[in-house]
Amino acid sequence: MSSVFNYQTLKVRLEKSTRTLHITFANDDLDNAITMETLFEFESLLAWVTTKVEIHSIFIQSNSAVFSIGYNQQLLKKLTIDKLAKFTSKLQKINQAITLLPQTVILDLQMGASNIASELAMPWDLRISNSSYKVHFNHTQLASVLCS
């Protein structure tokens, strides 16, 4: 297996024998919160992989017990309305791009996901999780609305 990209919040490796791209959400400092940097890296990765039909499948996971806590609530409080609108727009573009990928895409939700992380989980071909998985569409508690 070889490293493909050098991202800050994502670890990406390619398993040549199965032609599978492994993506690990690895934003350790923030319990895998989805930040603008995460979305930027993920969007650029999806743009690259769209043209790589030799990659047969994509497997996405997290390096923590839950897939992601979604928004980092401390950072969310500091976002301006314009930055939040850009964040939401980027998430919408990513969700639409996922549906157009030529590869089979599998997402491991592990023990759970919250707010935008659960929203990001919607367009994948296959979703797997622990039997104790909990999804939280808790957007209204954060005074936000669904992106999709």
Side-chain angles (χ1 to χ4, degrees):
M1 292 182 221
S2 58
S3 178
V4 181
F5 293 97
N6 187 21
Y7 287 134
Q8 299 299 313
T9 63
L10 301 174
K11 292 180 183 170
V12 182
R13 62 185 170 82
L14 181 62
E15 189 172 334
K16 292 180 182 180
S17 63
T18 60
R19 296 184 180 198
T20 299
L21 187 69
H22 292 267
I23 303 169
T24 303
F25 278 70
N27 200 352
D28 299 327
D29 297 338
L30 303 170
D31 293 328
N32 283 324
I34 297 174
T35 63
M36 195 63 165
E37 183 178 9
T38 307
L39 292 180
F40 176 75
E41 290 176 355
F42 200 49
E43 183 180 39
S44 68
L45 180 60
L46 291 176
W48 175 81
V49 79
T50 300
T51 63
K52 305 297 181 199
V53 292
E54 61 272 14
I55 296 174
H56 294 170
S57 58
I58 302 169
F59 183 78
I60 299 167
Q61 62 187 5
S62 170
N63 65 350
S64 65
V66 297
F67 170 63
S68 174
I69 62 166
Y71 288 117
N72 176 324
Q73 294 184 23
Q74 302 307 319
L75 295 176
L76 182 63
K77 293 175 187 176
K78 298 175 185 175
L79 289 178
T80 64
I81 292 174
D82 289 338
K83 286 185 179 180
L84 189 57
K86 287 180 183 176
F87 195 97
T88 303
S89 175
K90 190 166 286 292
L91 183 62
Q92 288 173 334
K93 287 166 75 177
I94 288 171
N95 276 351
Q96 291 169 354
I98 292 166
T99 62
L100 300 175
L101 287 173
Q103 296 87 357
T104 300
V105 188
I106 304 162
L107 175 64
D108 183 359
L109 290 163
Q110 292 157 274
M111 293 293 289
S114 296
N115 54 68
I116 60 167
S118 34
E119 197 170 339
L120 186 61
M122 293 293 102
W124 303 103
D125 296 325
L126 299 168
R127 290 170 294 284
I128 58 175
S129 67
N130 186 292
S131 61
S132 300
Y133 167 80
K134 294 196 186 222
V135 62
H136 300 279
F137 282 99
N138 54 347
H139 291 69
T140 54
Q141 292 175 348
L142 301 172
S144 64
V145 295
L146 291 171
C147 294
S148 303

